[in-house]
Amino acid sequence: MYSLTEISARSSELLPLIAALDAYQNALYPPASQHSVALHALAEDRLRCILVRDENGRAMGCGAVVFDDKQAGEIKRVYLDPDCRGQRLGEKVVAALETLARDAGCTLLRLETGIHQPAAIQLYQRCGYGFCAPFFPYQADPLSVFMMKALS
């Protein structure tokens, strides 16, 4: 059994998950095609974070939504430990992030992921995200996939 909890971007529980995500993406993409953001460096009022814990309280996954000033948000840093994949936890993380975004007044969520992450692309498609053009601050990148979803 897993639980999802909102946490601060400055939580030490996020650090090993973000490090694992960075190591995974570093093996897939050159630096110019990595669009990571340091969550702890953003103003607290610009983002909300989710942590996935297992039944023993161990941090197993995370995700964040970063808000802009135009009622839009961007999903960032979604990661699940390989030991808990395949259980539809990704959908729960995305749904929790969507709820946080709606509660903050967002009407649109966007994201960027990479072409070498088909499981992530499929997750977002299952959650109702469709492909779109690059959005600010991104440029077109042959290794990137851009997606969006209107929130109701």
Side-chain angles (χ1 to χ4, degrees):
M1 193 60 158
Y2 296 93
S3 64
L4 279 72
T5 309
E6 185 175 3
I7 62 163
S8 166
R10 287 147 183 78
S11 170
S12 62
E13 290 180 287
L14 278 177
L15 296 176
L17 296 167
I18 298 299
L21 174 58
D22 286 344
Y24 174 72
Q25 291 181 330
N26 288 342
L28 295 176
Y29 304 102
S33 292
Q34 293 181 28
H35 307 289
S36 302
V37 63
L39 298 177
H40 67 277
L42 297 175
E44 288 272 344
D45 64 342
R46 287 203 51 224
L47 79 151
R48 310 269 297 268
C49 298
I50 293 289
L51 188 75
V52 178
R53 290 188 180 94
D54 68 10
E55 62 275 358
N56 298 315
R58 188 175 69 155
M60 300 295 290
C62 60
V65 61
V66 177
F67 307 113
D68 70 14
D69 57 356
K70 298 178 181 110
Q71 294 184 306
E74 182 181 357
I75 291 179
K76 298 294 282 183
R77 302 310 227 157
V78 173
Y79 177 77
L80 291 171
D81 185 278
D83 290 342
C84 66
R85 292 181 189 162
Q87 301 178 55
R88 299 288 191 214
L89 284 171
E91 284 89 341
K92 292 178 182 176
V93 170
V94 171
L97 294 173
E98 289 174 354
T99 297
L100 293 176
R102 274 189 207 92
D103 291 349
C106 278
T107 58
L108 177 70
L109 275 178
R110 297 179 283 211
L111 63 95
E112 179 275 338
T113 191
I115 63 169
H116 300 305
Q117 295 169 266
I121 295 167
Q122 291 170 355
L123 163 67
Y124 296 123
Q125 286 180 304
R126 283 193 307 271
C127 293
Y129 289 77
F131 298 104
C132 66
F135 52 91
F136 182 81
Y138 300 100
Q139 302 289 325
D141 182 337
L143 300 180
S144 287
V145 172
F146 300 95
M147 302 178 86
M148 63 181 270
K149 178 180 179 179
L151 300 178
S152 54

